[in-house]
Amino acid sequence: MNRRHALLLCFALACAAQWLAPLWQVWRYENILRHGQVLKLACHAPDPYDPLRGRYLWVAIQPDEFPLKGNKLERSTQVCLRFKPGKDGLHEFDASVPGPANGELSLWLTVNYHWNDKLRVLWPQDRYYLNEDLAPKADAWLRQSFGGKDRKVIAQLRVLNGQAVLEDLICDGRSVAELVRRRGEP
Amino acid sequence: MPSNPDHHWLHGQLQDWQAEGLISAESAEALRLRHPLGEAAGINSPRQWLLGGLGVALVAIGILVILGHNWDHFSRATRLAMAFLPLGIAQWFCLRVLQDPQCPSARREGLALAQAVLAGSALAIVTQVYHIGGHWTTLLQAWMLLILPLAWALQSTAVSLLYLAGITFWALNQWSLSLPLQDSALRFPLLLLGLWPLRDALVRHWAGLSSLAIYSGMMAAVQSCAMRIELVKDDAFVWLAVLLASCFWLLPARRDGAREMSSQPHWLLGRAVLLVFGLGLTFADLARSNFKAAATLIELPVGWVLLGVNAGLMALAWRRGRIEALYLAALPWLALAMGLLNLRSYGSLVMVAYLAAHGLRLALRPDQLGEDRARQGALLLSALVATRLMESHWSALAKGLGFVAVGLTFLAYQRFLGRRLSRS
């Protein structure tokens, strides 16, 4: 193989990697969105800025602390938690399980700390991207919503094989983005 | 000197011949000097490609902003197509460049850089479409790893420098011992090794890199003096950086280079920092905070030292006839006066007026000041209009159309100057 062929091969590999890395993510998350079960949890969502990806709502899914007895779990390890339907249409914590099973609503989360039989986790689904015009409006409106009014913002996730994708943020049964877009400040 | 296609072919081949051991590095450099590319004129000169690329980038930003205005209305498939289609087109052009041994290096560099940027934007769009979490440094690291093989394949110095800047910035943001090894800055030396196959190309740009290294080192020393000895807050950091850059801009020409900008990397660096400072001060918030920090600067002995050196170098530039340099070097003094005279509320307007006047003076006098300065003036004016658009409260659609208009005007002016030069 001469140098020109080597460069061509290197270029082909670079191009393939540049397609495969994002396409792998597309395949993975599309699969979860199409075939996953719905998981609904309450959240907060203020509006910060990412220098590479623009404006988003920082989604803080609640609860992030669960009662869990047993051996202490190390920080940054993965734990699989099962959820069940709750009273108000949201889901609630059921139990810690060894891994996701068919038909169960369980997903892998990262341990933040485990102390005094309390487990705090880090939710990887912490961003909801909106365009530059909508994000500040949505932020202002959501802040008002938590200012004493009895309105809940719900993070709707799709879960498949222990992995989850944030599908939408819901308020009063409608998408937050849709509400802000249609009415400015609802 | 006009651009010669044979010289471009020769420069492309020299790299290969050197790598194959047919000629030494000294012989290759001697041949490069004997048959220069004639950067000032031809359509294939790096400067022309850089300025053309900036014009195209302005138009592209405008189109992106217009698309962003309607972004939520597009389906996921459309948004993903917008990520992958430009990347595919850029890859196709890069493949053509790779197959053409006579392709000018400027074109190869421009297209390689475009592909690198589009690979990053494809990744960013996918993470945005699926609301994927994680810190932006993780995305930056993945992007840098994806463009490294491209730098090898196309032997691109521009992509190598982008990679170097990217991994350095990543490492600076990961400097925490509590991070696991795969996320820690301790991986920086390993990432740096990725540039080993491109070391010859990077060494050719050593003059520019060394200027940057000297500037960074001196800035660290000045900042360290200000913070450790004088125990001040870091709000004077920008002023110290700008005054130091102004000193670089006013330093006499290097003896081994011509008085052209491209052979004086310390001038390039100093001018870039001064222009970014000036453009930054056109934003009302930044202007207010920096004018306020001017009061901190004059409390610092190191600030007075830099001001004194600056004044001395300005006098030297005056004596040596570098009158043009003084227009830009006056920028920090003007800003300092605005801050100290408490004219903060008008500061950004004064900056806009000063930069506009400077840009117009350069752009509209190509006969007296030369084509190069006219292009610089047009670039400054375009950047000024772009920053004003960014700060305006117009809708995204209006801003996008504004960006497209500025980009097209800039490209038309470049073309006008190019045709004027070829006629003459």
Side-chain angles (χ1 to χ4, degrees):
Chain A
M1 185 187 287
N2 62 23
R3 188 167 181 269
R4 188 158 295 281
H5 285 126
L7 288 179
L8 270 170
L9 182 66
C10 185
F11 178 74
L13 289 174
C15 290
Q18 285 168 7
W19 277 81
L20 287 176
L23 274 178
W24 177 75
Q25 287 188 318
V26 171
W27 177 83
R28 183 178 159 198
Y29 291 108
E30 271 301 324
N31 192 33
I32 298 173
L33 282 174
R34 279 164 196 251
H35 307 295
Q37 298 181 72
V38 174
L39 174 68
K40 290 183 179 178
L41 296 160
C43 68
H44 302 271
D47 161 42
Y49 184 75
D50 182 301
L52 291 179
R53 289 170 285 189
R55 289 211 173 275
Y56 64 94
L57 294 174
W58 178 63
V59 180
I61 295 177
Q62 300 297 318
D64 58 356
E65 196 172 85
F66 308 96
L68 188 66
K69 292 183 179 174
N71 292 339
K72 186 173 180 258
L73 296 169
E74 289 300 319
R75 186 184 169 88
S76 301
T77 54
Q78 296 284 299
V79 59
C80 191
L81 302 182
R82 190 172 63 205
F83 291 83
K84 62 182 181 185
K87 296 168 194 166
D88 49 0
L90 302 181
H91 289 83
E92 58 185 38
F93 173 64
D94 185 13
S96 165
V97 290
N102 265 347
E104 278 186 1
L105 204 51
S106 47
L107 72 160
W108 290 105
L109 295 168
T110 309
V111 175
N112 191 2
Y113 64 78
H114 188 199
W115 184 255
N116 279 351
D117 295 337
K118 278 183 185 167
L119 171 71
R120 179 161 277 205
V121 295
L122 296 170
W123 286 89
Q125 298 75 23
D126 58 359
R127 290 173 181 226
Y128 183 78
Y129 289 96
L130 281 170
N131 79 21
E132 302 282 321
D133 293 334
L134 289 182
K137 286 179 187 171
D139 177 43
W141 174 60
L142 288 169
R143 217 178 297 135
Q144 280 175 12
S145 297
F146 288 104
K149 294 179 187 173
D150 191 22
R151 294 168 98 173
K152 267 188 182 166
V153 180
I154 297 164
Q156 181 171 303
L157 296 104
R158 287 270 173 186
V159 181
L160 183 71
N161 297 330
Q163 305 291 321
V165 178
L166 179 60
E167 189 174 36
D168 209 348
L169 289 183
I170 310 279
C171 186
D172 295 338
R174 294 170 70 185
S175 163
V176 166
E178 190 67 22
L179 283 170
V180 179
R181 196 184 303 126
R182 288 213 175 153
R183 290 191 278 173
E185 289 190 17
Chain B
M1 180 184 287
S3 178
N4 186 334
D6 293 339
H7 292 189
H8 282 290
W9 174 84
L10 178 67
H11 278 241
Q13 291 300 305
L14 282 174
Q15 215 169 22
D16 291 353
W17 294 344
Q18 200 182 326
E20 288 165 17
L22 294 174
I23 55 171
S24 67
E26 292 76 29
S27 311
E29 198 51 44
L31 284 166
R32 276 191 201 98
L33 291 174
R34 192 187 172 104
H35 303 288
L37 293 173
E39 291 184 5
I43 192 170
N44 288 324
S45 75
R47 194 173 306 167
Q48 288 282 65
W49 272 82
L50 179 68
L51 289 170
L54 286 171
V56 171
L58 275 171
V59 176
I61 290 170
I63 293 169
L64 282 177
V65 175
I66 293 169
L67 288 174
H69 179 65
N70 298 306
W71 191 243
D72 292 335
H73 298 287
F74 297 130
S75 65
R76 277 210 301 276
T78 313
R79 282 185 266 175
L80 291 174
M82 284 181 197
F84 287 106
L85 199 64
L87 176 64
I89 293 171
Q91 288 179 343
W92 167 251
F93 277 108
C94 283
L95 179 64
R96 297 279 303 273
V97 162
L98 200 59
Q99 288 172 331
D100 177 11
Q102 296 191 17
C103 178
S105 62
R107 189 181 299 171
R108 191 185 67 228
E109 293 285 357
L111 286 168
L113 197 58
Q115 185 181 333
V117 171
L118 288 168
S121 82
L123 264 185
I125 289 174
V126 168
T127 54
Q128 209 191 55
V129 166
Y130 294 100
H131 306 295
I132 299 170
H135 200 256
W136 59 269
T137 47
T138 313
L139 183 76
L140 180 64
Q141 187 194 16
W143 177 27
M144 290 303 115
L145 290 175
L146 283 178
I147 65 171
L148 181 60
L150 181 70
W152 295 337
L154 288 168
Q155 299 286 293
S156 164
T157 310
V159 178
S160 312
L161 291 174
L162 175 66
Y163 174 82
L164 183 61
I167 59 168
T168 307
F169 199 58
W170 172 84
L172 288 173
N173 279 280
Q174 299 294 107
W175 197 252
S176 163
L177 292 175
S178 62
L179 287 168
L181 186 62
Q182 70 269 18
D183 295 328
S184 131
L186 293 173
R187 284 177 66 185
F188 179 70
L190 196 65
L191 292 170
L192 202 58
L193 269 182
L195 288 174
W196 185 253
L198 297 153
R199 60 193 181 282
D200 291 341
L202 287 175
V203 165
R204 276 207 295 279
H205 294 266
W206 179 243
L209 288 172
S210 59
S211 282
L212 189 63
I214 291 168
Y215 177 74
S216 308
M218 286 180 75
M219 193 55 229
V222 164
Q223 179 69 358
S224 174
C225 274
M227 288 192 75
R228 298 280 165 79
I229 300 170
E230 297 161 12
L231 299 174
V232 294
K233 291 181 185 168
D234 59 354
D235 54 354
F237 174 81
V238 173
W239 280 103
L240 297 174
V242 168
L243 287 175
L244 191 61
S246 183
C247 291
F248 272 54
W249 168 241
L250 290 165
L251 279 173
R254 281 158 53 108
R255 283 184 185 174
D256 57 341
R259 279 172 69 95
E260 289 160 6
M261 192 67 74
S262 55
S263 36
Q264 301 295 336
H266 59 294
W267 287 358
L268 274 174
L269 179 76
R271 190 179 59 164
V273 175
L274 284 171
L275 283 176
V276 169
F277 174 68
L279 289 169
L281 289 188
T282 62
F283 289 90
D285 287 348
L286 280 176
R288 263 195 297 275
S289 61
N290 277 299
F291 290 153
K292 203 174 159 191
T296 314
L297 176 80
I298 58 161
E299 288 171 8
L300 302 175
V302 71
W304 281 104
V305 169
L306 280 176
L307 284 169
V309 174
N310 228 276
L313 286 170
M314 283 175 90
L316 185 67
W318 176 272
R319 281 190 60 185
R320 293 198 172 184
R322 280 185 70 206
I323 307 298
E324 281 301 311
L326 294 176
Y327 284 101
L328 206 53
L331 202 68
W333 291 90
L334 178 67
L336 191 65
M338 303 285 297
L340 297 178
L341 294 173
N342 216 7
L343 299 171
R344 293 168 197 170
S345 43
Y346 306 105
S348 57
L349 285 177
V350 172
M351 281 295 141
V352 171
Y354 185 81
L355 289 175
H358 183 51
L360 282 170
R361 201 178 59 80
L362 294 176
L364 299 180
R365 294 170 68 199
D367 291 328
Q368 291 89 351
L369 300 175
E371 308 279 341
D372 255 10
R373 292 232 164 87
R375 289 181 204 280
Q376 290 165 21
L379 183 61
L380 175 59
L381 287 174
S382 304
L384 191 60
V385 177
T387 56
R388 296 305 78 229
L389 281 170
M390 281 158 73
E391 203 184 27
S392 73
H393 296 292
W394 295 1
S395 73
L397 183 65
K399 281 185 192 175
L401 290 171
F403 272 112
V404 172
V406 173
L408 289 176
T409 311
F410 179 71
L411 286 173
Y413 186 68
Q414 295 299 321
R415 189 165 170 76
F416 161 75
L417 285 178
R419 294 180 82 169
R420 194 170 167 277
L421 186 67
S422 59
R423 270 205 306 275
S424 66

